[in-house]
Amino acid sequence: SESRSMATKLKNRRAAEAKLGGFLKRVALDPRHASVICDGAVDDSFVEAVAALDETLGFAAESHDDVSFSRDWRSCRDLAPLMEKLRGKATARCGDELLERIDELHRDSSNVHQLQRVRLARLAPLQRFLERHAPEVANHVKDVYVDRMARTLHALFRAYHAELEKLDLAVADRNDVVAVPEDAVRYALTGRVSLAKRGDGFSLGDRAGVLKRMDEPPLLVHVAIKENRRYPFEELFRSSLRHLADAALSETHFVTAFLHGADQSSPAVQSTLQAIFRRAFSATLEHLENKLFACHDAVGLLLVVRLIERARTRATRGPAPTASALDAFLGDCEALVRPRLLTILTQNLEGVKKA
């Protein structure tokens, strides 16, 4: 009976130690983690320490089935000043580090997506910490990211459009209509009519092949220039469109994981993505509008319309925020292209009537 009593006491003591040990591990932060938060480098160990602090702060604010714990407990009151100092230190260091990494993206805009994956993505837990314990800092980080990325993408696509202009192949001009007036193709000095002044704007050739190349990567301008290649309007538009679609998809995944940690279909992700791409879309539409102003290539515009239609269909198969942002942008593109196409077709019709 005495041995049975001692065994029972030992069992109870071990059970108490197990529960108390688990409680202490959750209510008190490991000194090593506290040291890293205060003085350590911002690396994987820092992220781990912040996650541990987050768990400790979260435990102190909750009530659990096995241990009813609250800030009114003496253990919590004694630790409260230290935990508050650690929370403040972690908040300051997390905010400063994230803002610095975001500025790196803007400074090195040629390598944005790689920097996102290598330098920023692994710091997503720091943003989650800020959201829970310093929401005003988290919102500031998000606003700065949106502003920097919006400016970076705007500059990148403006530069890309300018580079694409070097590859432009003029296929048709204002004389490329079905019934061109003789005066438009007559030499001023000799008065002779020359069909050499006309292009071949109505020849399809292999241009429809651009519809099968929608999934191919964007054109590398420096390679095309080196190889002395030129491309018609629809091929340049396809390249620009693919570049935008790739960037939008990449941003959707990153914004979801880094800024929101939520489902891609959430309104917050969609709103952030639209804010990031608003200026890039605007620059692309401005470039398209300028191209259309002097465009007489009916075949090219017909192919562009088909590219837009197929791109809208394909966008619906991807993440909802990407599809939403691209669908609105593609709708704006179509609203610019169709009137110009109608004008060119009307000019051809009028020329036939007068012939």
Side-chain angles (χ1 to χ4, degrees):
S1 61
E2 185 177 352
S3 62
R4 190 181 306 117
S5 175
M6 291 181 63
T8 302
K9 289 180 181 180
L10 180 60
K11 180 180 178 181
N12 292 339
R13 186 180 296 112
R14 287 176 176 174
E17 287 177 352
K19 281 197 171 185
L20 184 59
F23 173 79
L24 291 175
K25 284 182 179 179
R26 300 192 68 181
V27 76
L29 188 67
D30 188 319
R32 291 173 299 177
H33 287 155
S35 177
V36 169
I37 289 173
C38 293
D39 303 312
V42 181
D43 51 17
D44 292 340
S45 296
F46 180 84
V47 174
E48 181 183 346
V50 170
L53 175 62
D54 187 22
E55 183 179 354
T56 301
L57 293 173
F59 180 76
E62 296 176 1
S63 178
H64 301 268
D65 294 336
D66 56 340
V67 179
S68 182
F69 180 83
S70 74
R71 293 182 183 276
D72 294 332
W73 282 43
R74 181 175 177 179
S75 58
C76 187
R77 291 198 304 270
D78 291 344
L79 287 171
L82 176 60
M83 299 304 291
E84 186 60 26
K85 287 182 180 179
L86 285 173
R87 187 197 69 81
K89 187 67 173 180
T91 295
R93 297 199 68 192
C94 288
D96 290 345
E97 184 67 19
L98 291 175
L99 292 174
E100 174 61 27
R101 298 291 175 88
I102 290 169
D103 278 338
E104 282 183 12
L105 296 182
H106 189 59
R107 292 196 299 267
D108 188 9
S109 58
S110 62
N111 214 11
V112 171
H113 297 306
Q114 184 175 353
L115 285 174
Q116 282 179 334
R117 292 190 297 269
V118 175
R119 304 298 300 276
L120 262 178
R122 65 187 183 87
L123 299 183
L126 305 188
Q127 179 69 1
R128 301 289 82 73
F129 176 85
L130 293 176
E131 289 171 355
R132 284 186 284 270
H133 303 287
E136 70 286 352
V137 179
N139 288 333
H140 179 62
V141 169
K142 186 191 77 169
D143 292 343
V144 170
Y145 176 83
V146 170
D147 175 70
R148 298 292 191 277
M149 186 53 62
R151 287 195 283 166
T152 297
L153 290 176
H154 176 251
L156 284 174
F157 279 99
R158 282 183 65 90
Y160 187 64
H161 297 149
E163 290 295 297
L164 284 179
E165 283 297 304
K166 300 175 182 178
L167 307 180
D168 188 24
L169 175 65
V171 176
D173 58 25
R174 59 189 179 85
N175 294 325
D176 285 290
V177 291
V178 174
V180 61
E182 287 189 356
D183 291 342
V185 291
R186 190 187 304 275
Y187 282 113
L189 296 178
T190 64
R192 296 178 59 186
V193 173
S194 173
L195 295 180
K197 285 195 171 187
R198 292 191 59 185
D200 198 9
F202 292 96
S203 175
L204 181 61
D206 61 354
R207 294 177 68 181
V210 70
L211 301 176
K212 299 178 181 179
R213 292 191 293 274
M214 287 192 64
D215 291 331
E216 292 186 6
L219 295 173
L220 298 176
V221 177
H222 66 283
V223 174
I225 291 177
K226 185 176 181 180
E227 297 175 352
N228 197 29
R229 293 184 180 181
R230 296 292 182 269
Y231 299 92
F233 178 42
E234 68 275 5
E235 190 67 55
L236 302 182
F237 181 80
R238 180 209 69 83
S239 181
S240 178
L241 196 60
R242 181 56 195 268
H243 202 357
L244 271 171
D246 288 348
L249 183 59
S250 177
E251 270 307 299
T252 299
H253 293 313
F254 181 77
V255 163
T256 302
F258 178 70
L259 288 183
H260 297 287
D263 180 71
Q264 290 179 338
S265 60
S266 70
V269 175
Q270 295 190 23
S271 176
T272 300
L273 195 68
Q274 289 170 356
I276 289 173
F277 276 91
R278 187 175 294 117
R279 295 177 67 180
F281 286 155
S282 178
T284 303
L285 291 170
E286 180 183 354
H287 177 257
L288 176 61
E289 189 172 20
N290 291 335
K291 289 287 293 182
L292 291 173
F293 183 76
C295 180
H296 300 274
D297 184 6
V299 171
L301 292 183
L302 284 168
L303 290 171
V304 165
V305 170
R306 293 292 292 143
L307 285 171
I308 292 173
E309 291 173 349
R310 292 194 178 187
R312 296 182 85 166
T313 300
R314 294 190 178 199
T316 60
R317 302 171 190 166
T322 310
S324 177
L326 287 176
D327 186 69
F329 163 71
L330 292 170
D332 292 337
C333 288
E334 189 171 5
L336 289 175
V337 173
R338 284 192 179 275
R340 182 58 185 171
L341 176 59
L342 180 60
T343 298
I344 294 174
L345 295 178
T346 301
Q347 290 175 349
N348 279 275
L349 180 60
E350 293 297 325
V352 171
K353 288 180 179 179
K354 294 178 181 178

